[in-house]
Amino acid sequence: MTRVAVVYNDDSALARGDAQDAIAVQGVVSCARSVADSLRARGHAAETLALPPDPRAVAMFVGALRVDVVFNLVEAIGGDARREPAFAWACELHGIAYTGSPPRAMTLCLEKPVAQALLGASGVPVPRHVVLARGDEPVASLSYPVIVKPSREDASHGIESASVVRDEAAMRARARHVIEHYAQPAIVEEFVEGREINVALIASPRGLEILPLSEIDYAGFPPEMPRIVSYAGKWIETSRDWALTQVIAARGLDNAQRARIEAVARRAFYVLGLHGYGRVDVRLDARGEPHVIDVNPNPDISPDAGFALAAARGGYAHADLVEWIVASARRPE
Ligand SMILES: Nc1ncnc2c1ncn2[C@@H]1O[C@H](COP(=O)(O)OP(=O)(O)O)[C@@H](O)[C@H]1O
Ligand SMILES: [Mg+2]
């Protein structure tokens, strides 16, 4: 029996950016409950705890925990995703075992240009890209269309149809919008139009396993609509994007293609120093080659999210996932 504190951030009152950005933070509360339920079902002692939004309280909060393992569902502190790694740091500094990735991996993955540069330098295929801090600086030539994203957000914040643009003038206009609206540089990536595959990886007792591949089903998208997972498609259940954006089992990949995707995802996981579990998102180019577009440490493991659904297709229960994640918790020296 392991004593586990399932810690999450309840920042629903504090979101920045668009008011609708707030919806993204609510899911973590029910995720925490389901993790605790699954752990109790396996005989562990689990409690859910909301992290205080005041950053100054974090170190004290962690210092007061009397558990064997912290299950880390913290995605932001005081509404700021940039502070996500601070909670893992606090566990490190207090010598408390915690699940998932170390702060370094979170920091790298939250800084898309850094993650992409490291992956590229390690031979992991990534889309060609440039970074714009102002919007008017000279940039290397890209082939269009491109997608313009905030460089330090995740959960599809700032991603909508208007993010995909077909010429330099539109690219610069969108980059300026992102820079102003999200107060951070924009990353502009060549748009990889092919299939979008989600690769879920988890450290099981048998080593780092890859769960059955999932895919975004873009079949229902009208031709004029860019095939992307927009913010609305990910979070706003009443939107057209949401109705159209389905995650399904990836079908019809031949063995060589599957092996290539899995190898690329595995390398991305190691290059960025993820631990425990993670999700690597790739898109296939016209030749079927996978390009890593996003690496997600500590991805959503709600029972109805893609990770757990992929696990279910592999014959694993939600409780298997959370037990393995607890078993692989990092115990700082
Ligand atoms: N270079 C790209 N080529 C094609 N589609 C992309 C590219 N980058 C992002 N996308 C689309 O935008 C979505 C969100 O981008 P992503 O980089 O994963 O941001 P986030 O970290 O917010 O999830 C992806 O799921 C994908 O549909
Ligand atoms: Mg993503």
Side-chain angles (χ1 to χ4, degrees):
M1 196 265 296
T2 309
R3 290 171 307 159
V4 183
V6 183
V7 182
Y8 64 97
N9 56 296
D10 186 5
D11 297 332
S12 20
L14 295 166
R16 294 164 307 111
D18 288 331
Q20 60 169 26
D21 286 357
I23 298 169
V25 304
Q26 289 163 12
V28 72
V29 181
S30 65
C31 181
R33 287 198 199 106
S34 64
V35 167
D37 288 345
S38 284
L39 286 170
R40 287 190 206 107
R42 294 288 168 96
H44 302 289
E47 54 178 338
T48 59
L49 293 172
L51 187 69
D54 181 353
R56 292 168 298 187
V58 170
M60 296 273 280
F61 172 92
V62 174
L65 294 173
R66 296 288 171 265
V67 292
D68 304 311
V69 174
V70 168
F71 203 110
N72 183 8
L73 297 179
V74 174
E75 297 176 337
I77 295 177
D80 187 347
R82 236 78 73 224
R83 295 178 182 150
E84 176 189 7
F87 180 73
W89 267 124
C91 294
E92 291 266 348
L93 297 176
H94 280 286
I96 296 182
Y98 64 96
T99 59
S101 285
R104 174 178 170 277
M106 295 173 185
T107 303
L108 293 175
C109 293
L110 266 180
E111 193 89 36
K112 287 185 192 294
V114 178
Q116 295 288 56
L118 208 51
L119 291 170
S122 308
V124 177
V126 292
R128 287 212 307 149
H129 59 276
V130 298
V131 179
L132 292 178
R134 290 199 325 253
D136 59 355
E137 56 265 65
V139 292
S141 73
L142 293 166
S143 47
Y144 288 83
V146 296
I147 181 167
V148 184
K149 310 190 275 191
S151 56
R152 304 177 189 143
E153 298 288 337
D154 61 0
S156 284
H157 288 286
I159 309 281
E160 53 190 341
S161 288
S163 306
V164 180
V165 293
R166 309 208 154 262
D167 59 55
E168 185 176 333
M171 179 273 278
R172 289 190 185 280
R174 183 65 191 180
R176 281 194 299 273
H177 167 82
V178 165
I179 293 163
E180 273 167 34
H181 203 72
Y182 288 90
Q184 58 190 267
I187 182 168
V188 180
E189 294 177 4
E190 289 186 354
F191 191 67
V192 185
E193 315 228 15
R195 296 172 69 175
E196 179 166 347
I197 311 284
N198 299 145
V199 188
L201 304 100
I202 184 161
S204 84
R206 293 168 293 281
L208 187 66
E209 273 192 57
I210 296 186
L211 299 174
L213 301 181
S214 306
E215 160 167 34
I216 312 295
D217 178 11
Y218 287 118
F221 274 50
E224 72 282 3
M225 201 170 144
R227 300 183 155 210
I228 57 172
V229 180
S230 68
Y231 183 84
K234 200 173 178 74
W235 299 108
I236 302 180
E237 300 191 8
T238 51
S239 71
R240 183 170 84 137
D241 290 26
W242 200 85
L244 287 174
T245 310
Q246 310 289 340
V247 182
I248 57 172
R251 294 195 189 87
L253 293 164
D254 63 43
N255 286 342
Q257 225 171 8
R258 185 179 300 273
R260 178 90 183 107
I261 293 167
E262 294 188 355
V264 160
R266 205 177 270 277
R267 278 175 63 199
F269 189 98
Y270 285 124
V271 166
L272 295 173
L274 270 62
H275 184 88
Y277 63 117
R279 200 189 72 236
V280 177
D281 299 332
V282 307
R283 279 193 94 146
L284 308 185
D285 65 16
R287 291 173 303 132
E289 271 298 295
H291 297 256
V292 172
I293 56 166
D294 194 24
V295 178
N296 305 279
N298 298 6
D300 187 0
I301 46 150
S302 304
D304 58 350
F307 199 100
L309 297 179
R313 293 201 306 276
Y316 300 131
H318 187 253
D320 294 324
L321 295 184
V322 299
E323 272 204 302
W324 293 341
I325 290 170
V326 166
S328 69
R330 296 165 60 83
R331 191 164 300 279
E333 298 302 304

